[in-house]
Amino acid sequence: MENLLRPLIVVGGSVVLTLVIGWATDFLLRKADERHHETPLWGLLRRGRIPYMLVLFAALLRGSYDEAELLPSRADAIGRTLTLVLIGSAAWLVIRIAAAIVETSYSRYASARAHRDPARVRRVRTQVTLIMRVVSAIVGVVAAATMLLTFPAFRAAGASLLASAGILGIVAGVAAQSTLSNMFAGFQIAFGDMVRIGDTVVVDGEWGTVEEITLTFLTVHTWDERRITMPVSYFTSKPFENWSRGTPQMTGIVFWHVDHSAPVEAMREKLRDILRECPAWDGRAYNLSVTDSTPSTMQVRALVTAKDADDIWTVRVAVREQMMGWLADEHPYALPRVNTADAILPPSRNGNANGNGNGHRPSQDGVPAQQRRYHGNHNSGRPER
């Protein structure tokens, strides 16, 4: 009877004690979260209740398992298993606690500076994300190493591993050169303020927003809902456009090709009217100028401003569409067209004394002189002299 009651008491007592302590801790954290609305720390700490209860259960059962005398032939294996569970759950709990503290610090900083300096907030967010990834990696490596050291075979091989650490380090460095370069590039991006989460960038001709930054790769969310994943070393070795660097304000350009007779001054007034009715225009500046000409058209350029990249796109498409519609309705002659009119000949050498002022010789019987030269004796096959 004692052989049956002892394991039940030890295992059942560990389970009950774990549930009671876990419930009490969660109750205290919930009450603290209700009283302190200004900080999310207590609510974030509640996310660690599962690894917390695993740590409690593994620690209680590991400490009292010898008293249970359950499966004495498997005592070593069961004890080592409980130790591994304890180490793994403790590492999980440490990561959750670190995440709660870092996230709380970032939330306080963001709430205080979100309206004054959004670019700085995005920079801190990028740094916080990479710091948490580094912390998680370090804790995971330490936990894995501790688990391995619980096995006697690995402890015996520790000395030889340390002796060959120099050679292994050189080999690993050569083999993982690309990975290591990306990791160092990730640290450089995080603390060098080159690119941040939420920045609008143009890479390889693709326009999008930085969605995720890790130690090895970076994800850009494009305007057409695609994700471009690039190694972070790209941003430290090649040029790219960061439209959110410094201030997000932007100046956009709109081009038209119109006829030489287009009313440029009226187009300036229309541009002003279009911008006044466009909510995306920030009101800083606008301009319209003739920037180039060809034998058939002239190029008109409009400069408009907006507070960020999204708004500048909205302003540009609105100005382009409404200006073209206005030209088609009010000034259709200003639209580009193919010129099929007769060529105007140059004036004669002695001026327009014998001409009619437009470069043509006077006509006789309604036929221009240039044409009369070829209306002579058609049977001769030669033009009239």
Side-chain angles (χ1 to χ4, degrees):
M1 188 68 178
E2 182 180 358
N3 294 333
L4 180 61
L5 289 178
R6 186 186 295 270
L8 289 177
I9 293 174
V10 171
V11 177
S14 299
V15 173
V16 171
L17 193 58
T18 299
L19 293 176
V20 171
I21 297 176
W23 177 84
T25 305
D26 185 69
F27 177 79
L28 294 176
L29 291 175
R30 187 169 63 252
K31 289 297 182 180
D33 187 38
E34 293 175 356
R35 292 180 181 179
H36 302 281
H37 298 285
E38 71 281 359
T39 175
L41 176 62
W42 310 110
L44 294 174
L45 286 176
R46 291 187 62 199
R47 298 179 182 178
R49 56 183 178 272
I50 294 178
Y52 175 69
M53 295 178 70
L54 280 176
V55 169
L56 288 176
F57 178 73
L60 292 173
L61 194 58
R62 181 68 181 88
S64 59
Y65 180 77
D66 294 337
E67 301 296 332
E69 297 181 357
L70 180 65
L71 299 176
S73 60
R74 302 288 183 178
D76 293 339
I78 295 176
R80 185 173 292 112
T81 301
L82 292 175
T83 301
L84 295 177
V85 173
L86 178 61
I87 295 173
S89 57
W92 187 8
L93 180 60
V94 169
I95 293 174
R96 286 296 179 88
I97 293 175
I101 295 174
V102 172
E103 187 68 24
T104 301
S105 302
Y106 168 75
S107 299
R108 291 180 177 178
Y109 180 87
S111 61
R113 299 180 64 98
H115 300 288
R116 292 182 295 174
D117 193 356
R120 177 66 180 175
V121 173
R122 292 200 305 271
R123 176 185 179 184
V124 173
R125 181 61 181 176
T126 303
Q127 295 175 350
V128 165
T129 302
L130 292 180
I131 287 174
M132 276 308 306
R133 293 182 185 275
V134 172
V135 170
S136 300
I138 293 175
V139 173
V141 170
V142 172
T146 306
M147 289 179 179
L148 292 177
L149 290 177
T150 60
F151 295 91
F154 285 97
R155 265 181 286 176
S160 60
L161 289 175
L162 290 176
S164 60
I167 300 176
L168 291 177
I170 295 174
V171 173
V174 173
Q177 183 178 2
S178 177
T179 302
L180 292 176
S181 65
N182 281 327
M183 290 183 64
F184 286 113
F187 283 111
Q188 186 176 354
I189 287 177
F191 297 99
D193 198 23
M194 299 175 60
V195 63
R196 300 155 298 199
I197 295 176
D199 280 2
T200 302
V201 297
V202 178
V203 289
D204 283 345
E206 297 286 350
W207 177 88
T209 304
V210 178
E211 187 177 55
E212 183 182 7
I213 299 177
T214 68
L215 290 178
T216 56
F217 68 88
L218 185 147
T219 303
V220 177
H221 184 192
T222 62
W223 63 273
D224 54 354
E225 302 298 330
R226 291 180 293 121
R227 267 75 176 180
I228 301 177
T229 301
M230 310 182 69
V232 293
S233 59
Y234 175 92
F235 294 86
T236 59
S237 60
K238 296 182 180 180
F240 65 95
E241 296 183 30
N242 189 344
W243 291 4
S244 302
R245 180 75 176 182
T247 173
Q249 296 176 345
M250 296 196 67
T251 300
I253 301 175
V254 181
F255 286 105
W256 297 279
H257 289 275
V258 296
D259 190 76
H260 294 93
S261 61
V264 178
E265 190 60 35
M267 292 180 66
R268 289 193 182 97
E269 296 178 0
K270 184 60 180 178
L271 175 63
R272 179 193 60 196
D273 296 338
I274 294 173
L275 293 176
R276 286 178 176 177
E277 297 177 0
C278 183
W281 182 52
D282 61 358
R284 286 190 295 127
Y286 74 94
N287 185 25
L288 188 141
S289 305
V290 177
T291 56
D292 197 3
S293 64
T294 65
S296 58
T297 62
M298 65 179 180
Q299 186 184 70
V300 179
R301 184 195 67 184
L303 297 181
V304 293
T305 60
K307 64 181 179 64
D308 54 30
D310 292 333
D311 283 354
I312 200 64
W313 173 262
T314 303
V315 174
R316 290 176 61 197
V317 296
V319 168
R320 184 182 296 109
E321 177 183 351
Q322 295 184 39
M323 183 67 75
M324 292 302 299
W326 176 76
L327 288 175
D329 294 338
E330 302 294 335
H331 303 277
Y333 62 88
L335 298 178
R337 59 185 182 273
V338 178
N339 194 349
T340 58
D342 295 336
I344 300 177
L345 299 178
S348 59
R349 293 183 179 180
N350 57 352
N352 294 330
N354 297 326
N356 56 5
N358 57 3
H360 293 278
R361 293 179 179 270
S363 60
Q364 297 179 4
D365 301 330
V367 180
Q370 289 82 349
Q371 297 181 15
R372 288 178 62 254
R373 296 178 57 199
Y374 298 92
H375 290 175
N377 186 0
H378 297 281
N379 295 328
S380 65
R382 295 179 299 174
E384 178 184 4
R385 293 185 179 178

